[in-house]
């Protein structure tokens, strides 16, 4: 791990003493706040509140940070960008570090929900691959650092008689009744995620995934409503384990890492194969990047940046990917990523596959149309 500038560097022993909550009161009786001494030394806060996607970090990464730096992490999870936004907009001010995706970063910047970061305090930012720096949704990385990236496609049960003959290669496998009839009795899951599900429908219809057209979005809604009776579940949280690994479904709209996770968790040494395969539909779809950002309301900004820097350490970032099976934007992490993950085209797809995929943008005012369609879909 690269050394932090001296004034941010915490001497763990000192912190433990300072935070012991001794009878003398003063800063040490402060439950979470940081303190800055006259010489500019920042002592890390006692606590940091981190709000991340479900099942998106190896717990050991958290406990290691707590043990090494004496900061207690209050960890909470959300299921979608929209849930995260709703939480912040409902006035929740306790969260310090959050993990919005690309389009949601743009929206949150606009809504003034994010605090600017100081990259000079995040030396491990130098570990990030140039391809992931300075993304259009956050020019100059003024607000966020890249955390994980991936793709969205279709996971399907290997060995299923229908899929053996007809390997899913199109979003038709999620939307066309003639196909759905052939395997829906085995269970089909879709991501409980409004941009993702609407994007899959838009891709199948040949529309721009960032369309602002009401006509396009209504067509996507209608396609979804026609297929919905064939779907068993809307789940984007624990579908990997509770539905795919558990064989409760035979096909799922899926994020790359969850499909790969299901493959590795069901891997059989004898057959040298896992039960779940992942396909990127020929019509294309979404590629996404999730980011670590600091809320505007955070009162523990220096500690939050310290934590961001920790996440960007090469070995820590590799441990994240070795747990989540998502792509890492951290170039320095690559040598520490398990070989089977590094060489897995479902996780790190070839250029020609990536070129078929689109990043999602902040839809501007059309967000209200997306919300309206989603309400109709879920109703
Ligand atoms: C993992 C969540 C993946 C995040 N459970 C997709 N943006």
């Amino acid at each position: 791990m690269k050394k932090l500038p001296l004034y941010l560097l915490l001497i763990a022993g000192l912190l433990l003493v300072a935070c012991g909550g001794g009878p003398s009161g003063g800063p040490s009786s402060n439950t979470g706040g940081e303190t800055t001494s006259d010489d500019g030394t920042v002592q890390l806060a006692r606590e940091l509140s981190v709000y991340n996607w479900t099942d998106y970090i190896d717990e050991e990464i958290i406990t290691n940070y707590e043990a090494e730096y004496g900061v207690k992490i209050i960890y909470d999870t959300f299921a979608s960008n929209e849930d995260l936004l709703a939480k912040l907009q409902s006035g929740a001010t306790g969260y310090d570090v959050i993990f919005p995706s690309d389009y949601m970063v743009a929206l949150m910047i606009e809504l003034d929900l994010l605090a600017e970061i100081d990259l000079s305090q995040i030396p491990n930012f130098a570990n990030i691959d140039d391809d992931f720096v300075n993304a259009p949704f956050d020019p100059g990385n003024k607000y966020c650092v890249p955390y994980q990236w991936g793709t969205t496609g279709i996971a399907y049960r290997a060995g299923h008689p229908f899929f053996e003959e007809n390997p899913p290669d199109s979003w038709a496998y999620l939307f066309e009744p003639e196909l759905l009839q052939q395997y829906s009795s085995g269970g089909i899951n879709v991501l409980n995620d409004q941009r993702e599900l609407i994007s899959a429908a838009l891709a199948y219809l040949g529309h721009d995934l960032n369309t602002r057209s009401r006509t396009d979005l209504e067509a996507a809604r209608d396609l979804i409503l026609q297929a919905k009776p064939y779907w068993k579940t809307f789940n984007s949280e624990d579908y990997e384990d509770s539905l795919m690994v558990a064989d409760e479904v035979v096909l799922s709209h899926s994020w790359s890492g969850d499909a790969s996770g299901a493959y590795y968790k069901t891997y059989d040494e004898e057959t040298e194969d896992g039960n779940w395969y992942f396909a990127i539909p020929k019509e294309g779809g979404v590629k996404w990047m999730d980011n670590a950002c600091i809320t505007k309301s955070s009162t523990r900004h220096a500690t939050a940046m310290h934590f961001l820097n920790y996440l960007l350490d090469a070995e820590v970032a590799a441990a994240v990917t070795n747990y989540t099976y998502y792509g890492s934007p951290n170039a320095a992490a690559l040598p520490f990523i398990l070989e089977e993950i590094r060489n897995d085209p479902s996780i790190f797809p070839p250029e020609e596959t990536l070129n078929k995929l689109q990043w999602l943008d902040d839809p501007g005012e059309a967000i209200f149309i997306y919300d309206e369609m989603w309400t109709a879909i879920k109703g």
Side-chain angles (χ1 to χ4, degrees), residues 105 119 203 256 267 295 301 319 328 352:
V105 168
L119 287 180
S256 48
Y267 188 82
T295 60
H301 194 256
S328 178
E352 75 257 27

Side-chain angles (χ1 to χ4, degrees), residues 52-56 78-79 81 99-102 148 150-152 193 196 236-240 255 257-258 288-290 324 326:
N52 199 354
W53 293 78
T54 311
D55 201 23
Y56 214 22
F78 57 84
N81 282 300
F99 294 77
S101 308
D102 31 62
Q148 293 263 271
T151 64
T152 312
D193 184 296
E196 286 287 6
S236 46
E237 288 202 85
D238 63 354
Y239 66 107
E240 174 190 328
W255 285 312
D258 294 323
W288 47 263
M289 179 161 82
D290 297 332
T324 63
Y326 286 108

Side-chain angles (χ1 to χ4, degrees), residues 39 53 87 89 92-93 111 130 150 153 156 172 201 246 264-265 283 323 329 353 378:
D39 65 357
W53 293 78
K87 189 69 155 238
Q89 286 192 310
T93 53
L111 294 171
D130 282 348
Y156 60 98
Y264 289 112
K265 286 176 189 176
E283 300 89 1
Y323 175 84
T353 307
K378 292 303 294 290

